[in-house]
Amino acid sequence: MSTKNIVEISSDPLPSLDEITSLVQDDGAGAITTFSGTTRNIFEDKAVIELEYEAYIPMAKKVLMELIEEARNNWNLMHIAIYHRTGIVPVGKVSVVVATSSKHRADSMDSARYLIDELKDRCPIWKREVYEDGSVWKGACNNKKH
């Protein structure tokens, strides 16, 4: 069986969830799990105006492919897609999507959670949260593995 690993990082708006889901769809898959991260309008009682992302794209893609390999070693997966925005992402818009497919739901669901959690922890993508009263940069790569 041929598997797909899709990693995209771009300043363009992300494809729709339906489009990304279709990329991981497989007639042998009994489960497709997606996670869609959106900009919310409040964080710790502060009004959020927008988020801005920066990435060291070559390294970020390398880390994401390593995470995909780790997920494949831990779960029986068919296809995996990870999309992440850079640049400004207004409130209500999507900044990241993880989609996985597998024969059984547990593999798909558990791996999707692992991938988003590890992406946030290890991938060189930084986020600036812009509030009504200022902004703050938040980094990735907090994990000591890298």
Side-chain angles (χ1 to χ4, degrees):
M1 171 183 76
S2 174
T3 61
K4 291 187 278 189
N5 297 328
I6 302 163
V7 171
E8 296 291 338
I9 301 171
S10 173
S11 60
D12 296 328
L14 299 183
S16 72
L17 202 51
D18 283 343
E19 290 175 81
I20 296 171
T21 299
S22 72
L23 295 173
V24 300
Q25 193 282 329
D26 189 287
D27 289 344
I32 294 174
T33 300
T34 61
F35 169 84
S36 179
T38 60
T39 302
R40 61 181 177 258
N41 66 357
I42 195 158
F43 178 75
E44 294 181 353
D45 297 325
K46 293 181 181 181
V48 175
I49 306 301
E50 64 191 14
L51 300 179
E52 180 180 3
Y53 290 91
E54 287 188 6
Y56 176 37
I57 293 175
M59 181 58 79
K61 286 184 173 183
K62 180 178 184 277
V63 169
L64 293 174
M65 290 305 292
E66 289 171 1
L67 296 178
I68 286 172
E69 184 178 332
E70 291 170 16
R72 288 196 178 282
N73 288 335
N74 288 305
W75 294 280
N76 186 9
L77 300 170
M78 294 180 161
H79 309 299
I80 301 170
I82 302 174
Y83 282 76
H84 206 298
R85 282 270 309 263
T86 58
I88 293 172
V89 182
V91 169
K93 299 300 180 187
V94 176
S95 57
V96 61
V97 173
V98 173
T100 61
S101 61
S102 63
K103 288 182 181 179
H104 304 287
R105 70 179 174 266
D107 288 329
S108 183
M109 294 172 77
D110 293 346
S111 65
R113 181 176 186 130
Y114 173 83
L115 288 165
I116 190 60
D117 287 349
E118 292 298 308
L119 179 160
K120 289 180 65 81
D121 199 35
R122 294 166 44 189
C123 198
I125 298 174
W126 299 271
K127 172 175 69 174
R128 182 171 72 109
E129 295 181 351
V130 179
Y131 310 110
E132 287 180 342
D133 63 351
S135 67
V136 62
W137 279 98
K138 295 185 175 182
C141 301
N142 298 321
N143 195 314
K144 302 298 183 217
K145 294 178 186 173
H146 288 291

